[in-house]
Amino acid sequence: MPVLVITGTGTEVGKTVTTAAVAAAALAAGRSVAVLKAAQTGVRPDERGDADEVARLAGPVTAAELARYPDPLAPGTAARRAGRAPVHPHEVAERAAKLATEHDLVLVEGAGGLLVRFDAAGGTLADAARLLGAPVLIVAQAGLGTLNATELTVRELRRRELEPAGVVIGSWPRSPDLATRCNVADLPEVAGAPLLGALPAGAGSLPPAEFRTAAPAWLAPRLDGTWDAEAFQIREAP
């Protein structure tokens, strides 16, 4: 799995912190890691982007982004408003492929959900994943509404003959309600793909050293972690 594409079921679901956790676990396993942000929106030139945040939390990764636009909008819209060239899926794939020749693992983080548009032609992260032949990790919310959003995302992946690597819950609340607890069992069923981890709420606010030490415990062995989905389901059963 030299390239792993990371998408979310929507915005603010914990993609960047999850990307950082996957990177930290891979680094702890002795792998070299690059993180590519396909299109960074909503930040000024002097601000830290998502790839920079991954590096801050995870440690010594190669952080890269293809383009940066100031408005916090979909990349295609943000590029148009800024009067700048958009990012195209083939550019994402080419950069990720190059990074994969130099690193053991390349994490490609999208913007928003799977079908957020990069350009006027309707290019998306899904198109980049298909060019790369890369599996796609889905970061999902924990609570009510996540089953529908996750299943829609997986159905679109499969329609495009892309492999869903699994699902990670991007922010697990300290006091989960009934729907949230039930979703632990239901998410892998609706996705037809394994649940590969759950990050505690507020994980991104931890000091980097603490984050790096804890990250493997949030992720399943397939992501270089030690998290046990079955034990978690038993512990969180209603």
Side-chain angles (χ1 to χ4, degrees):
M1 190 173 57
V3 179
L4 178 65
V5 174
I6 300 179
T7 191
T9 54
T11 59
E12 305 300 324
V13 296
K15 285 192 306 298
T16 299
V17 179
T18 298
T19 301
V22 174
L27 288 170
R31 305 170 75 189
S32 60
V33 180
V35 177
L36 175 62
K37 182 69 176 182
Q40 177 68 64
T41 64
V43 294
R44 300 188 308 269
D46 60 334
E47 289 184 300
R48 298 177 66 88
D50 291 343
D52 298 318
E53 179 64 6
V54 171
R56 184 187 73 84
L57 288 170
V61 303
T62 298
E65 61 183 38
L66 284 178
R68 176 175 289 210
Y69 310 110
D71 290 330
L73 303 169
T77 305
R80 185 180 70 246
R81 284 183 52 84
R84 300 178 187 173
V87 170
H88 302 290
H90 71 87
E91 295 173 318
V92 179
E94 288 167 5
R95 185 67 177 277
K98 183 177 186 305
L99 288 167
T101 66
E102 304 161 346
H103 300 81
D104 299 321
L105 176 65
V106 179
L107 304 175
V108 181
E109 183 186 345
L114 181 68
L115 298 185
V116 169
R117 295 191 172 198
F118 287 161
D119 56 26
T124 67
L125 185 68
D127 296 314
R130 184 158 192 180
L131 289 169
L132 286 161
V136 180
L137 182 68
I138 302 161
V139 182
Q141 292 178 314
L144 200 63
T146 195
L147 299 180
N148 179 67
T150 302
E151 186 167 0
L152 286 172
T153 300
V154 172
R155 285 192 181 194
E156 182 62 18
L157 287 172
R158 291 209 164 98
R159 187 184 74 81
R160 292 169 177 258
E161 299 182 342
L162 293 169
E163 176 193 350
V167 180
V168 171
I169 297 172
S171 180
W172 183 258
R174 292 177 178 83
S175 299
D177 60 16
L178 177 61
T180 300
R181 297 196 305 271
C182 290
N183 286 342
V184 176
D186 293 340
L187 272 170
E189 181 176 344
V190 302
L195 188 62
L196 295 180
L199 275 64
S205 299
L206 293 173
E210 187 175 341
F211 181 94
R212 296 166 196 174
T213 299
W218 305 331
L219 301 169
R222 184 172 178 181
L223 297 175
D224 296 308
T226 59
W227 186 81
D228 185 335
E230 184 176 348
F232 188 80
Q233 287 188 22
I234 293 171
R235 180 164 57 86
E236 299 297 346

